[in-house]
Amino acid sequence: QSALTQPASVSGSPGQSITISCTGSSSDVGGYNSVSWYQQHPGKAPKLMIYDVSNRPSGVSNRFSGSKSGNTASLTISGLQAEDEADYYCNSYTSSSTYVFGTGTKVTVL
Amino acid sequence: QVQLVESGGGVVQRGRSLRLSCAASGFTFRSYGMNWVRQAPGKGLEWVAVISFDGSTEYYADSVKGRFTISRDNSKNTVYLQMNSLRPEDTAVYYCARPRVPLGDAFDIWGQGTMVTVSS
């Protein structure tokens, strides 16, 4: 049950697009379309941003999009805004019927 | 409105036990599997455990297997986490989380969290 691998930090200027990767294995990310992404601001509970690889819950901006290729999932934030500055975590269902989170990525808006 | 409220956190000595509760409201609790997720101070999220809608199935992270037990009481709309043989590395904010749909794998409802501190 090793954590999925994410870059520690990603930054971009307002209006730019950034992409956060989430690398696992065929036992988790690569084996299931059950990848989700969470945004967490300091001191707050996580918020679901993407589910089932590429679906957005109601109320989440269409600036957020998700995709997957092989054992790597990705979250793209387009038109970066100051409010997007937060920590982001991926999550996947696993072949052991458990779940595993990514290591987390701090997004900084320059 | 849909809500999860955790309670039971506190400061406990190494080796002791603690039971967390998560009270649900605003949705048909008995239809959903429920999860516990934790976050150590300054660290990332760690999934801890899941229990099926009827309590018949449980799964755990390797880090807590054999020490923690998840359970639920559908008559009280509450899920529990019994934590035994606590270690300093169990120090974290513990969240309960509900999937977006009853058989889904994405957690869309989270509680506010309850802090557990294990002293050595």
Side-chain angles (χ1 to χ4, degrees):
Chain A
Q1 287 184 349
S2 298
L4 306 175
T5 300
Q6 297 181 231
S9 63
V10 174
S11 62
S13 300
Q16 286 187 329
S17 292
I18 61 170
T19 297
I20 303 168
S21 61
C22 169
T23 301
S25 70
S26 59
S27 296
D28 37 65
V29 174
Y32 305 91
N33 286 326
S34 298
V35 176
S36 50
W37 288 90
Y38 301 85
Q39 176 192 67
Q40 187 181 35
H41 287 107
K44 300 295 187 181
K47 175 186 177 183
L48 177 65
M49 304 302 285
I50 295 288
Y51 66 94
D52 294 349
V53 175
S54 59
N55 294 286
R56 271 188 318 275
S58 174
V60 171
S61 171
N62 59 10
R63 298 185 298 103
F64 292 84
S65 62
S67 63
K68 189 183 84 167
S69 177
N71 296 337
T72 298
S74 298
L75 173 71
T76 298
I77 309 174
S78 58
L80 199 61
Q81 299 180 0
E83 68 213 48
D84 300 332
E85 188 162 291
D87 294 325
Y88 291 82
Y89 297 90
C90 59
N91 178 276
S92 176
Y93 180 74
T94 82
S95 59
S96 301
S97 301
T98 61
Y99 296 89
V100 60
F101 279 97
T103 50
T105 298
K106 181 176 180 60
V107 169
T108 301
V109 180
L110 301 172
Chain B
Q1 74 278 26
V2 177
Q3 192 173 9
L4 299 172
V5 178
E6 302 95 338
S7 61
V11 180
V12 62
Q13 285 186 323
R14 169 197 284 268
R16 303 299 291 265
S17 299
L18 203 61
R19 189 178 83 156
L20 305 182
S21 300
C22 170
S25 59
F27 65 97
T28 307
F29 178 74
R30 62 180 181 273
S31 296
Y32 288 80
M34 292 295 294
N35 296 263
W36 285 96
V37 175
R38 68 183 181 182
Q39 186 169 35
K43 303 297 184 182
L45 300 173
E46 180 186 15
W47 176 84
V48 174
V50 62
I51 187 168
S52 61
F53 69 98
D54 60 357
S56 63
T57 307
E58 308 152 30
Y59 293 98
Y60 299 91
D62 288 345
S63 58
V64 306
K65 198 176 298 182
R67 299 187 301 121
F68 289 13
T69 301
I70 187 171
S71 62
R72 64 190 296 159
D73 185 338
N74 284 347
S75 69
K76 295 182 179 179
N77 287 354
T78 301
V79 61
Y80 305 97
L81 187 66
Q82 177 68 42
M83 304 184 296
N84 298 332
S85 302
L86 282 162
R87 305 166 179 168
E89 54 265 37
D90 295 319
T91 294
V93 174
Y94 284 75
Y95 296 99
C96 61
R98 190 206 80 171
R100 193 182 63 85
V101 294
L103 296 180
D105 299 313
F107 314 134
D108 76 330
I109 303 297
W110 296 70
Q112 84 288 354
T114 187
M115 183 70 203
V116 173
T117 302
V118 183
S119 64
S120 54

